[in-house]
Amino acid sequence: MMQSFLVGSLPNASSFTTGGNLWQSTKHGANKNKYYETIEKNGRRSIGKQNSLYCGNLLRSKHRMNKNNCYTSSYAPKASQNKGNPQEEYKLLRFHEPSLNCQFKCIKRGSTYQEYNQKYVLKAASTQPFEPEPHPFDSKNTLDSGKNIFVALYKFISPYAIFVRMLSTISASLLAVETLSDISPLFFIGVFQVMVAHLFMGIYVGGVNQLFDIGIDKVNKPYLPLASGKLSFTTGVIIVTCCLLLSFSLGWMFGSWPLIWSLLLSCAVWTSYSANVPLLRWKGHPVSAALSIVATYAVIFPIPDFLHMQTFVFKRPPVFPRSLTFVTVFMSLYSMGIALLKDIPDVEGDKKFGIYSFPARFGKKRVFWISVSLFELAFGIALMVGATSSYMWSKVVMVLGNIVLASVVWHRAKNVNLGNKASMASFYMLIWKILFAAYMLMPLAR
């Protein structure tokens, strides 16, 4: 009788079979040890050539015993004449690999005269699954990912500009306070209405500017989330659209017409400032760009906020007091200085994209000192308004406070390196911080 079996093909090899002379024994397995050694030698040689063993399907066959027949160099031993031999199971070979254990078993069963049932069993037991194991939950990576998303959103919404908007609302609302009794829950509700509506409008304004300036920001401000790729363009569009709709929805729900007009004007001016469409893109023209900033901080912010508190919250007739006039003049000068100063670090990128701002036309140094002079002029006017106040506490605080602010600006301006972007950025952020303090002094002008 003859038996043969075929093991499935291996990578980069044709096949793996039990070829060669296996064993021949007619005397109860006299050369069994030699067979084991041969199989083990061949198996190890093949395993050494391959990285892993892929086991194919087992082929079982039954053949009549024929002494003269030989197939694929495999020779089976003669059958014993005894009937009903007990089943003998021999473990021929077991290979140990890091990822796969294979076992060969030869099962010999006695049957009728000169006939055997022989089965070669190939068992494969994988000690490691072939499928990639799922990675365990890593709370640190999840926390870092959430932190990165938060930082990207934080930079996208221009937080310093939104914070200035909130302070502007508080300052203009306090101008409408005539007595201490006006500081009531109704007052805080009115302030909250303006702040929450303009919070979403502020995100829209900063976001739409970044959406149309991705190419410029890759040169001037590569750290911004859209320019750096931390936020996609589609995500930015979704954010600004949702914020715009929320802002108008809140304004309409509150029912304050000064607030609604303030939102409409903010949207119109800053969309015209940023949108790269015909007849718009005001930031490409230095005069219209500067006027957009001045109109926003000197008119659109303080006047509607004051009228919202005066007419909608306190139900008083509209007026235009001396203090509101001072705020309008002060912010006209100060915001003009900001409009000139903010373009100084962006000259290279602006020229590359055909935007000729004042610094690009007249030089960085000249425009820088013009903006510093505008800041000092604004503090000088605030000092005079404070000095002419009818309240002594207002005189002292307004005069001393504005002297300190003007001195800080002048001292820092003398140490700015116009060729260093980091130095210019530091001074620019200082100007915003000085404005925070100025907003706190404005309601004292009585």
Side-chain angles (χ1 to χ4, degrees), residues 181-200:
S181 61
D182 289 338
I183 308 296
S184 62
L186 188 63
F187 170 82
F188 291 106
I189 292 173
V191 172
F192 174 78
Q193 290 172 340
V194 178
M195 289 177 66
V196 69
H198 273 285
L199 169 65
F200 292 110

Side-chain angles (χ1 to χ4, degrees), residues 280-354:
L280 298 181
R281 191 66 172 174
W282 292 353
K283 69 180 302 178
H285 308 281
V287 175
S288 60
L291 290 177
S292 298
I293 297 174
V294 172
T296 300
Y297 286 95
V299 178
I300 297 175
F301 284 175
I303 296 177
D305 292 354
F306 172 83
L307 293 176
H308 169 76
M309 296 300 299
Q310 181 75 7
T311 62
F312 182 75
V313 176
F314 294 142
K315 308 298 182 183
R316 296 169 183 162
V319 293
F320 205 93
R322 172 178 176 263
S323 57
L324 185 58
T325 303
F326 155 67
V327 170
T328 302
V329 174
F330 179 92
M331 287 307 304
S332 296
L333 296 171
Y334 202 93
S335 59
M336 178 62 75
I338 290 177
L340 297 177
L341 186 67
K342 78 177 191 64
D343 291 330
I344 293 178
D346 301 337
V347 170
E348 289 77 11
D350 289 347
K351 285 182 177 180
K352 183 177 179 180
F353 288 88

Side-chain angles (χ1 to χ4, degrees), residues 100-363:
L100 191 65
N101 291 336
C102 294
Q103 298 180 22
F104 292 91
K105 291 184 181 180
C106 175
I107 303 173
K108 184 168 62 176
R109 293 174 180 169
S111 62
T112 59
Y113 176 71
Q114 291 184 344
E115 184 175 0
Y116 283 93
N117 271 340
Q118 254 189 7
K119 292 193 295 182
Y120 291 91
V121 182
L122 179 62
K123 291 186 178 181
S126 177
T127 58
Q128 296 178 0
F130 288 103
E131 298 83 2
E133 294 184 0
H135 295 288
F137 176 76
D138 193 340
S139 59
K140 183 178 180 180
N141 290 339
T142 303
L143 183 62
D144 291 342
S145 178
K147 182 180 178 181
N148 292 335
I149 294 174
F150 176 79
V151 171
L153 290 173
Y154 180 80
K155 292 180 179 179
F156 180 74
I157 65 177
S158 302
Y160 66 90
I162 292 178
F163 188 63
V164 168
R165 181 66 186 97
M166 300 299 103
L167 288 178
S168 173
T169 298
I170 295 172
S171 180
S173 299
L174 287 172
L175 294 177
V177 174
E178 296 179 355
T179 62
L180 290 177
S181 61
D182 289 338
I183 308 296
S184 62
L186 188 63
F187 170 82
F188 291 106
I189 292 173
V191 172
F192 174 78
Q193 290 172 340
V194 178
M195 289 177 66
V196 69
H198 273 285
L199 169 65
F200 292 110
M201 180 57 68
I203 296 174
Y204 166 78
V205 167
V208 76
N209 186 55
Q210 291 188 44
L211 287 173
F212 284 101
D213 281 358
I214 294 178
I216 299 176
D217 289 339
K218 286 181 179 180
V219 178
N220 295 334
K221 302 172 184 177
Y223 56 86
L224 291 177
L226 289 177
S228 63
K230 293 180 180 179
L231 281 182
S232 67
F233 181 84
T234 303
T235 302
V237 171
I238 292 173
I239 291 173
V240 299
T241 302
C242 292
C243 289
L244 181 64
L245 294 176
L246 281 171
S247 179
F248 283 129
S249 298
L250 289 171
W252 187 262
M253 182 179 67
F254 296 146
S256 171
W257 280 107
L259 176 58
I260 292 173
W261 278 108
S262 176
L263 295 173
L264 288 172
L265 290 172
S266 295
C267 177
V269 168
W270 286 97
T271 301
S272 302
Y273 177 87
S274 303
N276 192 8
V277 296
L279 302 179
L280 298 181
R281 191 66 172 174
W282 292 353
K283 69 180 302 178
H285 308 281
V287 175
S288 60
L291 290 177
S292 298
I293 297 174
V294 172
T296 300
Y297 286 95
V299 178
I300 297 175
F301 284 175
I303 296 177
D305 292 354
F306 172 83
L307 293 176
H308 169 76
M309 296 300 299
Q310 181 75 7
T311 62
F312 182 75
V313 176
F314 294 142
K315 308 298 182 183
R316 296 169 183 162
V319 293
F320 205 93
R322 172 178 176 263
S323 57
L324 185 58
T325 303
F326 155 67
V327 170
T328 302
V329 174
F330 179 92
M331 287 307 304
S332 296
L333 296 171
Y334 202 93
S335 59
M336 178 62 75
I338 290 177
L340 297 177
L341 186 67
K342 78 177 191 64
D343 291 330
I344 293 178
D346 301 337
V347 170
E348 289 77 11
D350 289 347
K351 285 182 177 180
K352 183 177 179 180
F353 288 88
I355 298 176
Y356 292 95
S357 58
F358 283 116
R361 291 173 182 267
F362 304 109

